[in-house]
Amino acid sequence: MREPNSRLDSLKLMGGSALAVSCRAPAAWASTALPSLDNLARAKGRRFGSVIASGDCLGGTVANGGYAQIVTSECSRLVAENEMKWQALHIAKGEFAFDRADRIAVWAQSEGLTLRGHALLWHRARWLPDWVNDFDYGAHPARAAEALLVDHINAVIGRYGSVVASWDVVNEAVNDAADGYEETSLSRALGSVEQVLDVSFHAAGNATPKALLVYNVYMSWEPEYAGHRKMVLHLLEVFRKRDTPVDALGVQSHIQISRLDPHTGLGPYEEKAWRSFMDAVVGMGYRVIITEFNVRDSALPTDLEVRDAKVADYARRYLDVMLSYPQLGDIMAWGKVDRYNWLQNFAPRQDGLAVRGCPYGSDHKAKPLRTAIATAPMGAKQAS
Ligand code: XIL
């Protein structure tokens, strides 16, 4: 795996004005004296990182001084929340809008942070632009779809390849509801989802031979994902059989307490099945990354102290398993501060209170979840 260049020479980036920070709210950041999560991760050869966005100072963005301070203090790697997705970048065939993703790339560089790329292809119609969903692939659909996909990947890697060491090449190609693959106009035109994956990974490998190429999944150890786990293992086997250049499995790790197991008072989880899954993944020679860590707390009681303790307990159990694998690399949080976390919209609590699934609360103060991450054993040193 290659570390990115320290300069963005190859990018025609926006001018310095793009970096202007529009607000510098004083951060109520409470852990200055503690070793950062990244320092703790680095002691075992890993990196700790977070998602960040490019909008205004009201979000989890580079313009929000308080948020940015937490991110720069705790992390050495960033991932753009939406800005590098097809929908955001490739707005019409061959027409790209790079400014928002550039802003994150420039900011990361100015802060000395590296980037993960997310995602060259999110293989769900819902997250592709309409023009792709409605695309007329003409008389030779497979050829046209391949060209569209390869052009997209080349353009994005052409723009950010010098600063991205690790790419989610394909995100979410498996559909657990249908217990099969997620189809899109691309897979229909190319003939199969496996063909889409093959084309995507080969294109990425050709465009950036030294970067870590990742297939990213949303399921993890919850019982409802047993079928999805099976499909992912099948897919990982297919990659190996077809010599598809996939280096790592990205496990998003939006772990869930969306109902309660009466024995633990936490969300149900299948540790044994999850370990077997992970054993099979690393047994095939894949590395693993936690790409989008946070915790859904919808089934937990209102009481903040109880809720925070249980979120931390659940997360710690999960991290203990994940960190026991020397094949585990980066640990990326999908947000560091509750207030800006996507779960507030995606999985809101019935009582109307904020979901408390990030290491920092909406007041920017560290919570027990941060302690759980910081005191997790960070496991065996990452194998290089
Ligand atoms: C989410 C963003 O956080 C939201 O802002 C957006 O509306 C939808 O996408 N899995 C992924 C991420 O791979 O890209 C998703 O991010 C969260 C789930």
Side-chain angles (χ1 to χ4, degrees), residues 81-82 85 118 122 127 171-172 252 254 292 334 342:
E81 180 156 16
N82 293 300
K85 293 172 183 170
H118 173 83
W122 189 348
W127 300 111
N171 190 31
E172 302 183 357
Q252 293 179 6
H254 299 289
E292 304 181 17
W334 206 250
W342 77 299

Side-chain angles (χ1 to χ4, degrees), residues 91-151:
I91 51 180
K93 189 173 182 305
E95 197 182 316
F96 289 83
F98 288 122
D99 52 332
R100 293 194 308 137
D102 281 0
R103 188 168 198 214
I104 291 177
V106 172
W107 187 80
Q109 187 194 27
S110 72
E111 297 291 338
L113 306 170
T114 60
L115 282 178
R116 292 203 70 246
H118 173 83
L120 294 169
L121 174 65
W122 189 348
H123 197 247
R124 297 195 138 202
R126 181 177 171 201
W127 300 111
L128 282 167
D130 290 345
W131 73 264
V132 174
N133 291 331
D134 301 336
F135 197 71
D136 178 2
Y137 291 95
H140 303 287
R143 215 184 299 160
E146 179 165 352
L148 183 60
L149 199 47
V150 172
D151 286 351

